[in-house]
Amino acid sequence: MKKYRILITDDEEDLCEILKFNLETEGYIVDTAHSAEEALTLDLQRYDLLLLDVMMGEMSGFKMASIIRKDQTLQHIPIIFLTAR
């Protein structure tokens, strides 16, 4: 059975850890990045799902998603946006 890999990108480290713990409890492999810039340095092709915070420091989750959607090798990866609003 395939283990799905999820990347959580959020500048709130506590929220990342809570989400990571809960998703790992459900059997997912979870990595975290604390900024969009950090996430974009990772090999995003290895992820099955991206969880992106809408409002982060320099680059928003929407801007990161826009960059990802322009890359044909990443266009297939589902994105879920997180927001406190």
Side-chain angles (χ1 to χ4, degrees):
M1 185 169 141
K2 180 181 177 182
K3 289 262 192 172
Y4 290 97
R5 183 177 293 273
I6 299 171
L7 175 64
I8 301 168
T9 304
D10 194 316
D11 57 355
E12 294 288 331
E13 292 183 33
D14 291 342
L15 181 58
C16 283
E17 291 309 311
I18 291 167
L19 287 169
K20 179 178 173 138
F21 174 81
N22 284 295
L23 289 167
E24 286 178 340
T25 299
E26 294 298 321
Y28 298 99
I29 299 167
V30 181
D31 295 321
T32 61
H34 300 295
S35 70
E37 294 84 359
E38 178 186 350
L40 290 170
T41 68
L42 303 174
D43 179 10
L44 297 177
Q45 291 184 47
R46 47 186 246 167
Y47 294 101
D48 300 295
L49 174 66
L50 304 176
L51 297 178
L52 306 180
D53 183 20
V54 170
M55 296 173 53
M56 292 184 278
E58 294 295 315
M59 184 186 304
S60 73
F62 291 141
K63 176 67 176 169
M64 180 180 167
S66 174
I67 291 168
I68 290 168
R69 289 298 179 240
K70 291 177 185 170
D71 184 333
Q72 290 186 4
T73 65
L74 303 175
Q75 289 176 346
H76 68 283
I77 303 171
I79 296 172
I80 295 175
F81 292 103
L82 307 172
T83 183
R85 293 190 170 205

